[in-house]
Amino acid sequence: MAQAGWDSTVDLQHGHVDFQTAVTMLQAISTRPVTPLVRPPWNEPGIIMKLLDAGAYGVICPMINTRAESREAFVGACRYPPQGYRSYGLVRAAWYGGGNHLKEANDTLVTIAMIETKQAIDHLDEILSVPGRRVHRTERPVDLLRCGSERWRAQRPDRAGCDREDVRGLQAPRRHSLGALRFRRRWPRR
């Protein structure tokens, strides 16, 4: 994807990519004029900071359900003090980001929270009010809408209650002047 000029995401949440493979992929992506993004396996500060130190310029964080998860665990791990608590273990980030990395990182790093559950929808205004994020991601309909089906409710009562109106009515990003990424199918159905 990077070769074709697309900003590229190294996905550690699904599939078989581990940290060392992610570093190798970030090295390959850095040869192209694109933004290297990562999706960590979970909202865990240690791996988020490690991936940023490896050269990621953005983090797409899964399973953000509350303001506390967004602020304390996610955004805090992505920002240097005083805006966050990211440590100064730059490794590749210093080489890749250049001499001004420490001065510019808090303003240039992309942080994208994934909105995937009924709990996240219920707390969306709180999540989006966290400073330091510019974008949120509304997850694919399969993740949000299936939680409204009878079968899904029986299997996962913790995610029950989402419906199409919940998803269509997500106006909170506009209220907070944030961008929203919504992924749509671009190819014809078969």
Side-chain angles (χ1 to χ4, degrees), residues 2 5 27 57 72 79 84 114 141-142 145 159 163:
Q27 289 170 330
Y57 268 34
E72 281 82 31
R79 301 283 185 251
M114 293 179 64
V142 69
L145 295 180
R159 293 189 182 185
D163 61 25

Side-chain angles (χ1 to χ4, degrees), residues 63 65 115-122 138-168 170:
M63 300 303 292
N65 293 308
I115 306 301
E116 303 180 81
T117 66
K118 172 68 170 154
Q119 182 184 9
I121 290 173
D122 291 343
T138 301
E139 192 49 64
R140 300 166 309 173
V142 69
D143 290 322
L144 280 177
L145 295 180
R146 74 177 178 175
C147 66
S149 73
E150 291 300 322
R151 181 173 156 215
W152 182 252
R153 286 182 208 161
Q155 293 173 351
R156 297 295 306 268
D158 60 314
R159 293 189 182 185
C162 296
D163 61 25
R164 292 181 191 279
E165 295 308 312
D166 286 333
V167 178
R168 286 189 192 125
L170 294 178

Side-chain angles (χ1 to χ4, degrees), residues 5-6 8 20 26 30 34 53 59 66 81 85 93 102 111 116 120-121 129 133 153 157 161 165 168 177 182-183 187:
W6 291 71
S8 298
Q20 184 55 55
L26 288 167
S30 71
V34 299
D53 291 347
V59 179
T66 65
Y85 55 87
L102 289 175
T111 51
E116 303 180 81
I121 290 173
S129 71
R133 281 191 325 89
R153 286 182 208 161
E165 295 308 312
R168 286 189 192 125
S177 300
R182 288 195 180 95
F183 296 91
W187 55 90

Side-chain angles (χ1 to χ4, degrees), residues 17-33:
V17 175
D18 61 8
F19 178 74
Q20 184 55 55
T21 304
V23 171
T24 303
M25 293 171 76
L26 288 167
Q27 289 170 330
I29 292 168
S30 71
T31 66
R32 309 304 303 163

